[in-house]
Amino acid sequence: MVNVKVIENGVQAKDTIEQFLREGFTKDEVYLLAHHQDRSEDLTAATNTSTIGLSEQGVFDSIANVFRSRGDELRAKMRSLGLSQPEAERYEEELDHGKVIVVASKVA
């Protein structure tokens, strides 16, 4: 099961994460993505959400991300959480417009 919310800021991120926790997801199943890596890292640290790493992506995708554009990396991370290619493309476009994506995934 994958649940995705498009949000504007850290306050909405906190509210969305709390909503996902009430719905039965754990902190380890909630991920936050922003187009700018610094913003993504800052919000992830501030909200105590999980990072998308080796266990979610596997060795190949984790290494490949070093050589990918940020957009390609984000789409690959979303795919590793259970989103389809068209969904990942649509949400990456939202990220291009400054939005933040919160994903709750029991797939990863």
Side-chain angles (χ1 to χ4, degrees):
M1 173 177 27
V2 180
N3 223 332
V4 182
K5 298 284 183 182
V6 179
I7 57 168
E8 301 279 338
N9 55 48
V11 173
Q12 289 179 348
K14 184 177 179 288
D15 293 343
T16 301
I17 291 163
E18 288 173 2
Q19 175 188 346
F20 285 147
L21 295 176
R22 284 190 303 272
E23 291 175 6
F25 290 95
T26 67
K27 282 273 189 180
D28 291 338
E29 297 169 327
V30 179
Y31 305 87
L32 190 143
L33 296 165
H35 203 282
H36 296 287
Q37 191 163 356
D38 291 342
R39 184 176 186 202
S40 186
E41 289 170 359
D42 291 346
L43 285 170
T44 296
T47 58
N48 195 29
T49 52
S50 293
T51 57
I52 302 168
L54 190 61
S55 63
E56 292 83 10
Q57 289 194 286
V59 174
F60 176 75
D61 274 336
S62 292
I63 293 170
N65 280 341
V66 173
F67 304 102
R68 290 179 172 147
S69 71
R70 181 65 176 158
D72 289 344
E73 176 188 355
L74 290 166
R75 286 188 299 276
K77 286 182 175 188
M78 286 186 264
R79 296 271 311 177
S80 72
L81 296 175
L83 277 70
S84 68
Q85 184 66 32
E87 289 172 323
E89 290 171 2
R90 180 169 47 96
Y91 288 121
E92 198 269 325
E93 196 172 302
E94 293 283 353
L95 296 174
D96 286 343
H97 296 294
K99 305 286 194 226
V100 176
I101 305 293
V102 180
V103 181
S105 174
K106 292 197 181 276
V107 175

